[in-house]
Amino acid sequence: MSKSVIKVSASVYSGLLLCSTPALAQKVDETNLPQNKPILESVIAEARESAKSDFQANDHGLDEKLKNMDYQAYKAIHFKPKEALWKNKSPYEVQFFHPGFLYDEPVSVTVVERDNSTSALPFDANMFRYEKKAKKVKGLTNKKSGFAGFRIHYPLNDSEYKDEFAVFQGASYFRLIGKNQVYGISARGLAIDTALPEGEEFPRFTKFWLIKPGDDKSITIYARLESQSVAGAFAFTLYPGESTKADVQAWLFARADINKLGVAPFTSMFLYGENTEKRHDDYRPEVHDSDGVLMITEKGEQIWRPLTNPSRLQITALSDTAPQAFGMLQRDGSFNSYLDAEANYHARPGLWVVPKEGFGKGKLEVVEIPTDAEIHDNIVAYWVPEQSMEEGQSRYFSYRVRTVDQEPKLYDKAVVVRTRQGVSHLPGFESSDEQTVRRFVVDFTLPSGFSLDTDEIDLILDVNRGSVKQARIFKVNGNSEMRATFLLMPDSQKPVDMRLFLNHQDKQISEVWNYVYQPQ
């Protein structure tokens, strides 16, 4: 029989919304500017000046019929590939999206040549093909209409075809994929007041500067961001490849107090998975773009937080002083886990952030919103600095975000490979109307050369609400995995926050499994 050390504690974070604390102003760092410095300096200066005035939305005079067009009409408008920017002049090509439908505040685009000369790119209806369902909106645009966004193409998977690998469209959203990956999770430039009672503010990219590439290794984009509370300037340097990377720099200027600043945000979808309590009547075993959040703390501890589709809004946080890295992953990359040959959930990448500047003490906040359909993004995660941002203050953030297949890096300790739960059917611990008893099973893959027996390992488990029984560990799957299992008895209907890891002689030999269970 293996031995287990069980610690029941109320000291673990509550799983509820935490508040940021006020702080002094942080100056913007403008010393580390990328190429085309004069252009970027003007973009930053424009943002700084804009923050001194009230926010004003700009719809570019878009016709109301374009704003009110339905989805089917919008999907009937197609960009003509032959009209792509830099067609046959660069390894990169840019195609544009038509304004209208949900995209009723278009963006303007400026093209920057290698000599820093600039030219505005006017909207041209001849760039697009209007099918029958879209004929009614043809001719409602002009040169000042702007674009809904753009996508960038590059010979990612083979040298004969230029694949789409990046998209900037809608608010401050952008999406990236690497070789043999398909779109799933989205990144965002900034999140403000996400999940607060007064409602979320959605900053928007309003202007883009597309820098003509000098080689095939990278492409640089500058952007202006605007919202009621902030004006910003962004620099993106994209490196398409096996893992597509983006170096991001953000200069932010507050025009009003910001209650919650969300830096390097992700938006994803989790409908159900292996850990879901209620099974779905669907031939597909799992449906999600991402299955967990991973963070490496300043001290090097690796924390894995599986995602859920809760019955009620759920907001949790992983706090740290200066994280080494964090991200949202699709850790399960097996086709057999999804059986979906159209959505290809097994090929959807995770996004991994490595902070460079601006990320001090704070928390990685995870928002999980109930949903009953896979068309809705219901998961949001972002870094919240402990220092709040007040009117007149400025901030600078720099980080690298990259796409990853399953895991971002090799880890030399045991790693969680699956999380499952179910009702207890053991004698003396059956669930009833009066009490919910859940059996949790957490399986760890073992690193190469792992030779410890289970009686040499301690299971360390903290639970903040409720009690735990029958905790034990044993090897499974031909001794290639370690299973930790226990019975959880919640003491209320409030979320139960759990933290579990494996120890050997007081030394941690696994990543931390962190899970929030919401009693039904």
Side-chain angles (χ1 to χ4, degrees):
M1 174 67 68
S2 63
K3 61 179 181 179
S4 300
V5 176
I6 308 298
K7 299 188 298 181
V8 179
S9 170
S11 63
V12 185
Y13 68 80
S14 66
L16 301 178
L17 183 64
L18 305 178
C19 297
S20 301
T21 56
L24 298 176
Q26 177 181 331
K27 293 183 178 180
V28 168
D29 179 7
E30 298 180 12
T31 61
N32 188 22
L33 303 183
Q35 64 176 8
N36 305 93
K37 182 177 178 180
I39 303 296
L40 182 55
E41 284 178 335
S42 68
V43 176
I44 297 171
E46 183 182 305
R48 183 190 295 108
E49 190 64 24
S50 176
K52 298 176 183 178
S53 305
D54 292 339
F55 167 74
Q56 292 186 347
N58 182 5
D59 67 358
H60 291 238
L62 203 64
D63 192 285
E64 290 298 319
K65 291 181 180 179
L66 285 167
K67 294 180 181 180
N68 297 324
M69 66 192 303
D70 60 26
Y71 175 77
Q72 294 300 326
Y74 188 72
K75 294 298 289 184
I77 305 175
H78 305 278
F79 186 84
K80 299 175 183 177
K82 67 178 182 178
E83 300 292 336
L85 180 65
W86 305 317
K87 181 72 174 180
N88 299 324
K89 297 179 181 179
S90 167
Y92 296 89
E93 293 180 0
V94 182
Q95 299 185 12
F96 299 91
F97 296 106
H98 199 284
F101 183 49
L102 299 176
Y103 312 104
D104 55 4
E105 292 182 29
V107 301
S108 61
V109 175
T110 298
V111 179
V112 182
E113 301 296 336
R114 297 305 299 172
D115 62 0
N116 278 356
S117 62
T118 64
S119 59
L121 185 68
F123 179 87
D124 186 350
N126 292 321
M127 293 179 172
F128 298 88
R129 185 178 74 257
Y130 298 80
E131 295 182 355
K132 185 177 180 180
K133 292 182 179 179
K135 293 295 184 182
K136 291 182 179 180
V137 299
K138 186 177 181 180
L140 298 179
T141 54
N142 57 51
K143 292 182 178 181
K144 297 181 180 180
S145 294
F147 300 93
F150 57 90
R151 53 184 177 235
I152 310 175
H153 294 243
Y154 178 84
L156 189 66
N157 293 304
D158 63 65
S159 59
E160 300 301 321
Y161 180 77
K162 292 182 179 179
D163 305 276
E164 177 185 329
F165 77 92
V167 174
F168 288 78
Q169 185 183 27
S172 67
Y173 288 92
F174 63 99
R175 306 170 86 184
L176 305 171
I177 53 173
K179 188 174 183 180
N180 297 321
Q181 297 172 344
V182 300
Y183 286 124
I185 186 173
S186 297
R188 291 161 65 182
L190 198 66
I192 294 181
D193 294 346
T194 304
L196 290 186
E198 54 268 32
E200 182 172 1
E201 182 177 308
F202 285 90
R204 292 175 175 269
F205 289 133
T206 58
K207 301 178 181 179
F208 287 95
W209 288 257
L210 304 180
I211 316 299
K212 187 174 182 178
D215 55 42
D216 63 352
K217 294 181 180 179
S218 67
I219 180 171
T220 298
I221 301 162
Y222 302 148
R224 279 275 287 109
L225 177 137
E226 289 284 352
S227 76
Q228 290 85 352
S229 300
V230 69
F234 280 72
F236 299 91
T237 303
L238 309 183
Y239 302 86
E242 194 85 24
S243 168
T244 291
K245 306 173 184 65
D247 287 331
V248 183
Q249 291 180 284
W251 295 262
L252 305 178
F253 304 90
R255 55 165 48 100
D257 293 347
I258 299 173
N259 292 322
K260 186 199 297 184
L261 186 68
V263 183
F266 307 117
T267 299
S268 193
M269 180 276 293
F270 185 95
L271 184 61
Y272 61 91
E274 63 187 16
N275 56 317
T276 299
E277 184 170 343
K278 293 183 178 180
R279 301 303 174 206
H280 285 244
D281 187 13
D282 195 313
Y283 75 91
R284 299 170 298 176
E286 302 180 41
V287 174
H288 49 74
D289 288 335
S290 308
D291 56 12
V293 169
L294 185 68
M295 184 172 82
I296 301 178
T297 67
E298 183 181 28
K299 295 182 178 179
E301 184 177 60
Q302 182 162 308
I303 304 173
W304 173 245
R305 162 76 164 80
L307 295 174
T308 63
N309 182 1
S311 57
R312 304 180 295 278
L313 175 67
Q314 186 163 278
I315 306 170
T316 57
L318 300 173
S319 299
D320 196 35
T321 50
Q324 293 186 27
F326 59 86
M328 191 179 290
L329 308 179
Q330 184 77 310
R331 203 171 231 186
D332 188 345
S334 170
F335 174 78
N336 290 334
S337 295
Y338 308 96
L339 301 178
D340 194 321
E342 296 180 2
N344 290 314
Y345 289 112
H346 66 286
R348 304 202 173 194
L351 289 179
W352 188 241
V353 167
V354 177
K356 295 180 180 179
E357 295 185 53
F359 294 76
K361 189 175 183 180
K363 60 188 178 183
L364 178 61
E365 191 164 275
V366 181
V367 179
E368 294 162 298
I369 305 167
T371 186
D372 57 3
E374 62 195 279
I375 61 173
H376 302 304
D377 283 345
N378 64 318
I379 306 294
V380 189
Y382 41 81
W383 183 257
V384 182
E386 184 181 63
Q387 294 183 337
S388 62
M389 193 171 179
E390 299 174 357
E391 180 180 352
Q393 293 182 342
S394 56
R395 294 283 177 85
Y396 171 74
F397 295 94
S398 175
Y399 58 94
R400 167 167 283 191
V401 58
R402 66 182 177 92
T403 66
V404 296
D405 286 323
Q406 301 175 41
E407 296 292 339
K409 60 181 292 185
L410 182 65
Y411 191 58
D412 61 357
K413 297 179 175 65
V415 171
V416 176
V417 67
R418 69 184 65 88
T419 299
R420 291 186 178 272
Q421 60 157 309
V423 66
S424 168
H425 293 292
L426 296 180
F429 291 102
E430 286 89 358
S431 292
S432 66
D433 293 337
E434 291 76 31
Q435 184 180 44
T436 298
V437 181
R438 305 298 296 174
R439 165 69 66 182
F440 277 86
V441 172
V442 184
D443 291 341
F444 293 83
T445 58
L446 303 179
S448 177
F450 189 94
S451 59
L452 294 175
D453 292 328
T454 53
D455 60 3
E456 301 177 79
I457 300 173
D458 295 328
L459 188 160
I460 311 299
L461 175 60
D462 289 316
V463 178
N464 76 326
R465 295 189 183 97
S467 58
V468 171
K469 298 287 187 181
Q470 298 184 9
R472 61 194 182 109
I473 50 177
F474 52 93
K475 290 184 178 180
V476 295
N477 195 14
N479 293 332
S480 64
E481 297 174 0
M482 186 83 72
R483 172 163 294 181
T485 181
F486 59 92
L487 292 177
L488 170 69
M489 283 150 285
D491 58 15
S492 70
Q493 290 299 305
K494 295 181 179 180
V496 181
D497 186 3
M498 297 174 282
R499 175 182 165 95
L500 180 155
F501 60 91
L502 307 178
N503 258 10
H504 171 62
Q505 296 180 351
D506 294 325
K507 182 179 180 181
Q508 191 169 321
I509 60 171
S510 76
E511 69 178 4
V512 175
W513 173 81
N514 176 237
Y515 197 85
V516 178
Y517 171 66
Q518 195 175 91
Q520 300 296 313

